[in-house]
Amino acid sequence: MEELADTLSGTFGVETKNCFSAYIDIKRRRDNSCTYFLDKLWQKFNERMKQGDLKGGKFKKR
């Protein structure tokens, strides 16, 4: 776990603190999903892709 955190930290240029504690917190979640954030991200991404298909694949720049 620590090797992965070190690798990702170096790759993305961010400092990781107490990543094992965060991992344990995620594993302790009692709802249906341990990956709630990723599930919501995936859902929103798919919605955005479908909207793009309906608009001819063009998005407004923000």
Side-chain angles (χ1 to χ4, degrees):
M1 181 72 170
E2 199 143 329
E3 287 178 35
L4 176 62
D6 289 341
T7 301
L8 292 174
S9 175
T11 300
F12 294 110
V14 295
E15 185 178 340
T16 56
K17 295 180 183 178
N18 211 4
C19 64
F20 189 73
S21 177
Y23 173 76
I24 294 300
D25 290 342
I26 291 169
K27 286 192 60 98
R28 287 185 186 152
R29 292 181 184 168
R30 296 185 186 237
D31 62 352
N32 292 334
S33 176
C34 291
T35 57
Y36 179 79
F37 172 76
L38 294 176
D39 294 343
K40 287 294 181 184
L41 182 66
W42 185 253
Q43 178 186 14
K44 295 293 182 181
F45 176 74
N46 281 328
E47 289 172 9
R48 177 84 183 227
M49 295 294 287
K50 288 178 186 175
Q51 288 174 358
D53 290 342
L54 295 175
K55 294 180 182 178
K58 296 182 181 179
F59 290 105
K60 294 180 182 177
K61 289 186 179 181
R62 292 183 179 192

